[in-house]
Amino acid sequence: MMSKVPIVSQPTPLERLPRLSETLGIDLFVKRDDLAGPSLGGNKSRQLEYYFGAALEAGADTVLITGAVQSNFVRLTAAVAATLGMQAVVQLEDRVGDHSQEYQAGGNALLCDLLGARILRYPKGEDEAGADAALHTHAEILRAERYKPYVIHLSEGHPPLGALGYVDAAHEILAQNSGFDFFVVASGSGSTHSGLLAGLRGAGSTARVIGSCVRRPARAQAARISRIISRLSDISNDARAVKESDIEIWDGALAPGYGQPGQPAVDAMKLMARQAGLVLDPVYTSKSFAAIPALVESGQIPRGSRVCFVHTGGLGALGAYGTAIRDIL
Ligand SMILES: *Cc1c(COP(=O)(O)O)cnc(C)c1O
């Protein structure tokens, strides 16, 4: 058993969306993981239960993590560290190329400051191994100062502890409602998608899981999920029940690229806001939710299907995207 720190009040709500269900001709529910954990919540709260579990077990007093300037993972790490009396060192990568004050200092970046994190900057955005190496260099400096650092890795090749949080979430959802035909979830680093799929298959569910790309195109993402499932099998029996054909990816709302909302993403935000009163974020959940109307339209999600959309949060970034969203609202 991996150690775990309780961060999320479980279960998070599972709500039916009656107006959207009627509009789309499906039975649509939302798993409210936007309410999971502190400081505006999100899916990373479940992942951090395991990372902080490992950090505390290692006797750490400082946690280091890297992410985009508007990363929710980084913001939640700062929040959880604050609740546990630990120091967070967060490294913000230039992944999006937006140098406006709004993007660089608003939203999650502002929250990291507010939450008391130490902020480092990293000039590249497509260099996972380099970003992690920079964290390790900083961890060595901290160690020389007698701190006890723990690094949460971004790059592949480490045990996917975060995915265990979504193995748990799958069991939590099935206990709330075991009748879903489809799950739709954002697929970025892949921990959430992989863990959810593993937990469902491990529990015997044959529900289809559509991972909606927010970071890289479908082929590359499918290969990444496959590698994570294989590493997850070393630490979770559930992952051994996943077959290659279970990995389903949609990338129809990815353009123009990571951290940049296109028209389908903003249309999805409007649909969810105006028919369910729920706010999606511009980087992840707008692009993942966009899969549902598109796949219903194409017939790949048949009318009448019971569909669970996993709202993974991301609301801390909203303020940093005001101009980008307003321009295409
Ligand atoms: C990180 C993130 C995702 C993607 O989750 P992964 O586990 O990295 O694939 C989805 N939604 C939000 C809001 C996120 O912050």
Side-chain angles (χ1 to χ4, degrees), residues 20 74 94-95 113 119 126-127 135 137 147 171 191 193 236 259 268 306 327:
L20 263 180
V74 157
D94 187 7
R95 219 184 266 179
D113 268 335
I119 297 179
E126 289 300 335
D127 180 16
L135 286 186
T137 301
Y147 289 99
H171 292 273
S191 297
H193 180 184
S236 162
R306 292 160 297 180
D327 282 352

PDB file of all heavy atoms in Angstrom, residues 20 74 94-95 113 119 126-127 135 137 147 171 191 193 236 259 268 306 327:
ATOM      1  N   LEU A  20     -28.786  20.163 -20.139  1.00  0.00           N
ATOM      2  CA  LEU A  20     -27.802  19.717 -21.140  1.00  0.00           C
ATOM      3  C   LEU A  20     -28.126  18.313 -21.643  1.00  0.00           C
ATOM      4  O   LEU A  20     -27.926  18.000 -22.816  1.00  0.00           O
ATOM      5  CB  LEU A  20     -26.394  19.735 -20.536  1.00  0.00           C
ATOM      6  CG  LEU A  20     -25.550  20.961 -20.824  1.00  0.00           C
ATOM      7  CD1 LEU A  20     -24.194  20.819 -20.148  1.00  0.00           C
ATOM      8  CD2 LEU A  20     -25.359  21.126 -22.333  1.00  0.00           C
ATOM      9  N   VAL A  74       0.746  22.984  -9.818  1.00  0.00           N
ATOM     10  CA  VAL A  74       1.670  23.797  -9.038  1.00  0.00           C
ATOM     11  C   VAL A  74       0.903  24.581  -7.951  1.00  0.00           C
ATOM     12  O   VAL A  74       1.308  24.612  -6.788  1.00  0.00           O
ATOM     13  CB  VAL A  74       2.405  24.724 -10.044  1.00  0.00           C
ATOM     14  CG1 VAL A  74       2.941  25.950  -9.403  1.00  0.00           C
ATOM     15  CG2 VAL A  74       3.481  23.942 -10.797  1.00  0.00           C
ATOM     16  N   ASP A  94       7.932  28.393 -19.385  1.00  0.00           N
ATOM     17  CA  ASP A  94       7.363  29.203 -20.470  1.00  0.00           C
ATOM     18  C   ASP A  94       6.846  28.265 -21.558  1.00  0.00           C
ATOM     19  O   ASP A  94       7.501  28.005 -22.546  1.00  0.00           O
ATOM     20  CB  ASP A  94       8.434  30.150 -21.028  1.00  0.00           C
ATOM     21  CG  ASP A  94       7.839  31.121 -22.039  1.00  0.00           C
ATOM     22  OD1 ASP A  94       6.607  31.135 -22.202  1.00  0.00           O
ATOM     23  OD2 ASP A  94       8.616  31.862 -22.656  1.00  0.00           O
ATOM     24  N   ARG A  95       5.624  27.744 -21.342  1.00  0.00           N
ATOM     25  CA  ARG A  95       5.094  26.710 -22.231  1.00  0.00           C
ATOM     26  C   ARG A  95       4.162  27.303 -23.290  1.00  0.00           C
ATOM     27  O   ARG A  95       3.921  26.707 -24.315  1.00  0.00           O
ATOM     28  CB  ARG A  95       4.307  25.703 -21.388  1.00  0.00           C
ATOM     29  CG  ARG A  95       4.475  24.275 -21.813  1.00  0.00           C
ATOM     30  CD  ARG A  95       3.600  23.359 -20.986  1.00  0.00           C
ATOM     31  NE  ARG A  95       4.288  22.779 -19.838  1.00  0.00           N
ATOM     32  CZ  ARG A  95       3.680  21.959 -18.975  1.00  0.00           C
ATOM     33  NH1 ARG A  95       2.413  21.651 -19.127  1.00  0.00           N
ATOM     34  NH2 ARG A  95       4.350  21.461 -17.945  1.00  0.00           N
ATOM     35  N   ASP A 113       1.738  32.945  -5.376  1.00  0.00           N
ATOM     36  CA  ASP A 113       2.302  33.997  -4.512  1.00  0.00           C
ATOM     37  C   ASP A 113       1.524  34.092  -3.207  1.00  0.00           C
ATOM     38  O   ASP A 113       2.090  34.118  -2.121  1.00  0.00           O
ATOM     39  CB  ASP A 113       2.215  35.359  -5.225  1.00  0.00           C
ATOM     40  CG  ASP A 113       3.468  35.678  -6.014  1.00  0.00           C
ATOM     41  OD1 ASP A 113       4.544  35.144  -5.655  1.00  0.00           O
ATOM     42  OD2 ASP A 113       3.381  36.457  -6.977  1.00  0.00           O
ATOM     43  N   ILE A 119       8.916  30.809  -5.982  1.00  0.00           N
ATOM     44  CA  ILE A 119       8.704  30.664  -7.421  1.00  0.00           C
ATOM     45  C   ILE A 119      10.023  30.745  -8.185  1.00  0.00           C
ATOM     46  O   ILE A 119      10.800  31.679  -8.006  1.00  0.00           O
ATOM     47  CB  ILE A 119       7.707  31.733  -7.917  1.00  0.00           C
ATOM     48  CG1 ILE A 119       6.347  31.499  -7.235  1.00  0.00           C
ATOM     49  CG2 ILE A 119       7.576  31.682  -9.442  1.00  0.00           C
ATOM     50  CD1 ILE A 119       5.258  32.471  -7.597  1.00  0.00           C
ATOM     51  N   GLU A 126       8.795  22.708 -23.586  1.00  0.00           N
ATOM     52  CA  GLU A 126       8.653  21.347 -24.123  1.00  0.00           C
ATOM     53  C   GLU A 126       9.882  20.530 -23.767  1.00  0.00           C
ATOM     54  O   GLU A 126      10.520  19.931 -24.612  1.00  0.00           O
ATOM     55  CB  GLU A 126       8.454  21.390 -25.649  1.00  0.00           C
ATOM     56  CG  GLU A 126       7.102  21.925 -26.081  1.00  0.00           C
ATOM     57  CD  GLU A 126       5.919  21.099 -25.548  1.00  0.00           C
ATOM     58  OE1 GLU A 126       6.081  19.889 -25.253  1.00  0.00           O
ATOM     59  OE2 GLU A 126       4.822  21.684 -25.408  1.00  0.00           O
ATOM     60  N   ASP A 127      10.241  20.534 -22.511  1.00  0.00           N
ATOM     61  CA  ASP A 127      11.479  19.908 -22.073  1.00  0.00           C
ATOM     62  C   ASP A 127      11.252  19.316 -20.684  1.00  0.00           C
ATOM     63  O   ASP A 127      11.763  19.811 -19.689  1.00  0.00           O
ATOM     64  CB  ASP A 127      12.590  20.969 -22.049  1.00  0.00           C
ATOM     65  CG  ASP A 127      13.927  20.409 -21.598  1.00  0.00           C
ATOM     66  OD1 ASP A 127      14.086  19.172 -21.601  1.00  0.00           O
ATOM     67  OD2 ASP A 127      14.790  21.218 -21.213  1.00  0.00           O
ATOM     68  N   LEU A 135      14.831  21.077 -11.315  1.00  0.00           N
ATOM     69  CA  LEU A 135      14.299  20.906  -9.954  1.00  0.00           C
ATOM     70  C   LEU A 135      15.292  20.167  -9.070  1.00  0.00           C
ATOM     71  O   LEU A 135      15.488  20.522  -7.901  1.00  0.00           O
ATOM     72  CB  LEU A 135      12.981  20.114  -9.973  1.00  0.00           C
ATOM     73  CG  LEU A 135      11.710  20.796 -10.457  1.00  0.00           C
ATOM     74  CD1 LEU A 135      10.516  19.853 -10.245  1.00  0.00           C
ATOM     75  CD2 LEU A 135      11.463  22.110  -9.729  1.00  0.00           C
ATOM     76  N   THR A 137      18.525  20.057  -9.421  1.00  0.00           N
ATOM     77  CA  THR A 137      19.641  20.960  -9.119  1.00  0.00           C
ATOM     78  C   THR A 137      19.266  21.854  -7.931  1.00  0.00           C
ATOM     79  O   THR A 137      20.053  22.045  -7.001  1.00  0.00           O
ATOM     80  CB  THR A 137      19.945  21.839 -10.358  1.00  0.00           C
ATOM     81  OG1 THR A 137      20.270  20.964 -11.438  1.00  0.00           O
ATOM     82  CG2 THR A 137      21.092  22.796 -10.088  1.00  0.00           C
ATOM     83  N   TYR A 147      17.681  21.453   4.304  1.00  0.00           N
ATOM     84  CA  TYR A 147      16.261  21.135   4.077  1.00  0.00           C
ATOM     85  C   TYR A 147      16.157  19.692   3.599  1.00  0.00           C
ATOM     86  O   TYR A 147      17.148  19.088   3.191  1.00  0.00           O
ATOM     87  CB  TYR A 147      15.668  22.067   3.013  1.00  0.00           C
ATOM     88  CG  TYR A 147      15.499  23.487   3.487  1.00  0.00           C
ATOM     89  CD1 TYR A 147      16.441  24.464   3.166  1.00  0.00           C
ATOM     90  CD2 TYR A 147      14.394  23.848   4.251  1.00  0.00           C
ATOM     91  CE1 TYR A 147      16.295  25.770   3.600  1.00  0.00           C
ATOM     92  CE2 TYR A 147      14.237  25.158   4.688  1.00  0.00           C
ATOM     93  CZ  TYR A 147      15.188  26.113   4.361  1.00  0.00           C
ATOM     94  OH  TYR A 147      15.037  27.389   4.787  1.00  0.00           O
ATOM     95  N   HIS A 171     -13.357   4.017  -8.341  1.00  0.00           N
ATOM     96  CA  HIS A 171     -14.143   3.226  -7.381  1.00  0.00           C
ATOM     97  C   HIS A 171     -15.184   4.102  -6.684  1.00  0.00           C
ATOM     98  O   HIS A 171     -16.316   3.664  -6.445  1.00  0.00           O
ATOM     99  CB  HIS A 171     -13.204   2.558  -6.376  1.00  0.00           C
ATOM    100  CG  HIS A 171     -12.335   1.494  -6.998  1.00  0.00           C
ATOM    101  ND1 HIS A 171     -12.743   0.183  -7.122  1.00  0.00           N
ATOM    102  CD2 HIS A 171     -11.103   1.555  -7.563  1.00  0.00           C
ATOM    103  CE1 HIS A 171     -11.791  -0.521  -7.728  1.00  0.00           C
ATOM    104  NE2 HIS A 171     -10.778   0.293  -8.009  1.00  0.00           N
ATOM    105  N   SER A 191      -2.095  11.107 -16.148  1.00  0.00           N
ATOM    106  CA  SER A 191      -2.318  10.417 -14.864  1.00  0.00           C
ATOM    107  C   SER A 191      -3.800  10.206 -14.584  1.00  0.00           C
ATOM    108  O   SER A 191      -4.215   9.140 -14.123  1.00  0.00           O
ATOM    109  CB  SER A 191      -1.729  11.234 -13.713  1.00  0.00           C
ATOM    110  OG  SER A 191      -0.349  11.344 -13.865  1.00  0.00           O
ATOM    111  N   HIS A 193      -6.467  10.231 -16.764  1.00  0.00           N
ATOM    112  CA  HIS A 193      -7.033   9.307 -17.748  1.00  0.00           C
ATOM    113  C   HIS A 193      -6.620   7.860 -17.436  1.00  0.00           C
ATOM    114  O   HIS A 193      -7.463   6.966 -17.353  1.00  0.00           O
ATOM    115  CB  HIS A 193      -6.544   9.764 -19.137  1.00  0.00           C
ATOM    116  CG  HIS A 193      -7.025   8.938 -20.272  1.00  0.00           C
ATOM    117  ND1 HIS A 193      -6.626   9.164 -21.565  1.00  0.00           N
ATOM    118  CD2 HIS A 193      -7.856   7.862 -20.339  1.00  0.00           C
ATOM    119  CE1 HIS A 193      -7.203   8.282 -22.366  1.00  0.00           C
ATOM    120  NE2 HIS A 193      -7.946   7.485 -21.656  1.00  0.00           N
ATOM    121  N   SER A 236      -0.355  -0.954  -9.102  1.00  0.00           N
ATOM    122  CA  SER A 236      -1.802  -1.140  -8.949  1.00  0.00           C
ATOM    123  C   SER A 236      -2.262  -2.333  -9.777  1.00  0.00           C
ATOM    124  O   SER A 236      -2.076  -2.368 -10.995  1.00  0.00           O
ATOM    125  CB  SER A 236      -2.543   0.123  -9.414  1.00  0.00           C
ATOM    126  OG  SER A 236      -3.901  -0.175  -9.660  1.00  0.00           O
ATOM    127  N   GLY A 259      -2.685  25.123 -23.725  1.00  0.00           N
ATOM    128  CA  GLY A 259      -2.841  26.388 -23.017  1.00  0.00           C
ATOM    129  C   GLY A 259      -3.415  27.504 -23.859  1.00  0.00           C
ATOM    130  O   GLY A 259      -3.421  28.658 -23.429  1.00  0.00           O
ATOM    131  N   ALA A 268     -17.658  25.303 -25.935  1.00  0.00           N
ATOM    132  CA  ALA A 268     -17.983  24.341 -24.875  1.00  0.00           C
ATOM    133  C   ALA A 268     -18.162  25.064 -23.538  1.00  0.00           C
ATOM    134  O   ALA A 268     -19.063  24.737 -22.757  1.00  0.00           O
ATOM    135  CB  ALA A 268     -16.881  23.286 -24.770  1.00  0.00           C
ATOM    136  N   ARG A 306     -25.589   6.941 -21.294  1.00  0.00           N
ATOM    137  CA  ARG A 306     -25.350   7.523 -19.964  1.00  0.00           C
ATOM    138  C   ARG A 306     -23.877   7.925 -19.891  1.00  0.00           C
ATOM    139  O   ARG A 306     -22.991   7.087 -19.960  1.00  0.00           O
ATOM    140  CB  ARG A 306     -25.705   6.507 -18.883  1.00  0.00           C
ATOM    141  CG  ARG A 306     -27.221   6.231 -18.827  1.00  0.00           C
ATOM    142  CD  ARG A 306     -27.534   4.933 -18.146  1.00  0.00           C
ATOM    143  NE  ARG A 306     -26.966   3.801 -18.898  1.00  0.00           N
ATOM    144  CZ  ARG A 306     -27.065   2.528 -18.546  1.00  0.00           C
ATOM    145  NH1 ARG A 306     -27.704   2.195 -17.436  1.00  0.00           N
ATOM    146  NH2 ARG A 306     -26.528   1.576 -19.289  1.00  0.00           N
ATOM    147  N   ASP A 327     -12.172  37.634 -26.350  1.00  0.00           N
ATOM    148  CA  ASP A 327     -12.020  37.893 -27.789  1.00  0.00           C
ATOM    149  C   ASP A 327     -12.858  36.960 -28.656  1.00  0.00           C
ATOM    150  O   ASP A 327     -13.234  37.330 -29.758  1.00  0.00           O
ATOM    151  CB  ASP A 327     -10.545  37.756 -28.195  1.00  0.00           C
ATOM    152  CG  ASP A 327      -9.745  38.993 -27.802  1.00  0.00           C
ATOM    153  OD1 ASP A 327     -10.377  39.991 -27.368  1.00  0.00           O
ATOM    154  OD2 ASP A 327      -8.509  38.968 -27.927  1.00  0.00           O
TER     155      ASP A 327
END
